[in-house]
Amino acid sequence: TQLLEQSPQFLSIQEGENLTVYCNSSSVFSSLQWYRQEPGEGPVLLVTVVTGGEVKKLKRLTFQFGDARKDSSLHITAAQPGDTGLYLCAGAWEKKSSGDKLTFGTGTRLAVRP
Amino acid sequence: EAEVAQSPRYKITEKSQAVAFWCDPISGHATLYWYRQILGQGPELLVQFQDESVVDDSQLPKDRFSAERLKGVDSTLKIQPAELGDSAMYLCASSRGRHSGNTIYFGEGSWLTVV
């Protein structure tokens, strides 16, 4: 079973602070996705990274895929209360002719205080 | 934008009863996934379909859970009999499938409470 460990598990910060969430595995993935989930809702895709070393930016969010495609990080600059939620990384590896298999990390619950 | 539809959104059932969840993926999506998410944890894959065929059900508790996608479009996940530990959110997702790199889209989920 491929495991994705996220850290920290919980994070409570003040509005305006920066933070980084880490996603680590011993497995190599064909791609890695980051999701944000609000209470009672399904996960919503933020970004997909495919190439080792790739960096993608989405407004105040910066995503990086490790060179070996085993780990990833999510950095949020100047966090806002609207960033509050559960952040999930998910590693995908290709299954021939049957679509990707997606394994989720343990999740990081972020609370941004006004 | 097309969405993955799930129903019911909320279900309360007594233990030992049967319960079923329905999912309609985005039109044209060949791959359909059922995930279970316990409160505070990441989703866990229960079953993956490619068209009408099961390609991965290694984590599906087959003594009580069953899933089907008869015509390769919509899908049903059934639990019989339900147990207290089955209380969770059941998420359906879909992707174009057939090769790597396709975005996987999730529905809003079905909350199950077993009492």
Side-chain angles (χ1 to χ4, degrees):
Chain A
T1 303
Q2 284 77 1
L3 294 175
L4 277 166
E5 296 288 337
Q6 285 185 239
S7 61
Q9 191 174 357
F10 301 98
L11 192 55
S12 179
I13 61 172
Q14 201 71 33
E15 181 177 1
E17 293 183 356
N18 303 331
L19 67 116
T20 301
V21 177
Y22 298 93
C23 175
N24 295 292
S25 174
S26 58
S27 300
V28 176
F29 295 103
S30 58
S31 66
L32 193 137
Q33 303 178 6
W34 282 94
Y35 292 81
R36 180 168 165 268
Q37 187 176 22
E38 303 259 11
E41 304 291 332
V44 175
L45 181 67
L46 296 173
V47 77
T48 299
V49 286
V50 178
T51 306
E54 182 177 4
V55 176
K56 281 191 175 179
K57 291 189 176 183
L58 184 66
K59 296 183 181 178
R60 296 176 293 101
L61 277 61
T62 302
F63 304 86
Q64 184 164 7
F65 202 11
D67 291 340
R69 305 205 328 268
K70 293 182 178 181
D71 55 84
S72 181
S73 64
L74 158 60
H75 182 78
I76 301 179
T77 304
Q80 299 177 1
D83 296 328
T84 293
L86 179 67
Y87 288 82
L88 295 159
C89 66
W93 63 94
E94 182 180 358
K95 297 173 71 175
K96 294 181 180 179
S97 304
S98 63
D100 284 347
K101 177 171 181 174
L102 197 66
T103 296
F104 280 86
T106 48
T108 294
R109 187 164 297 281
L110 171 66
V112 182
R113 304 185 303 273
Chain B
E1 183 177 320
E3 295 180 346
V4 176
Q6 288 188 247
S7 66
R9 280 283 277 146
Y10 305 96
K11 179 72 177 178
I12 299 175
T13 190
E14 293 183 347
K15 62 181 180 178
S16 81
Q17 296 298 304
V19 62
F21 301 107
W22 177 80
C23 172
D24 190 13
I26 295 172
S27 178
H29 279 195
T31 306
L32 185 147
Y33 309 82
W34 281 103
Y35 283 86
R36 176 171 60 186
Q37 185 176 24
I38 296 170
L39 195 63
Q41 299 181 16
E44 173 194 25
L45 180 68
L46 292 175
V47 63
Q48 179 179 345
F49 289 93
Q50 181 69 16
D51 299 311
E52 68 278 4
S53 300
V54 173
V55 296
D56 189 341
D57 62 357
S58 57
Q59 300 301 311
L60 188 72
K62 299 181 187 64
D63 57 335
R64 298 184 300 108
F65 285 66
S66 64
E68 59 183 18
R69 193 185 183 199
L70 294 176
K71 297 183 179 179
V73 182
D74 60 338
S75 175
T76 302
L77 177 70
K78 296 179 181 177
I79 308 174
Q80 182 174 18
E83 296 181 354
L84 296 177
D86 296 331
S87 295
M89 176 184 268
Y90 291 83
L91 290 160
C92 180
S94 71
S95 72
R96 293 192 180 278
R98 295 201 175 87
H99 53 81
S100 183
N102 292 292
T103 298
I104 298 172
Y105 297 90
F106 283 83
E108 292 189 318
S110 294
W111 275 107
L112 172 65
T113 301
V114 182
V115 297

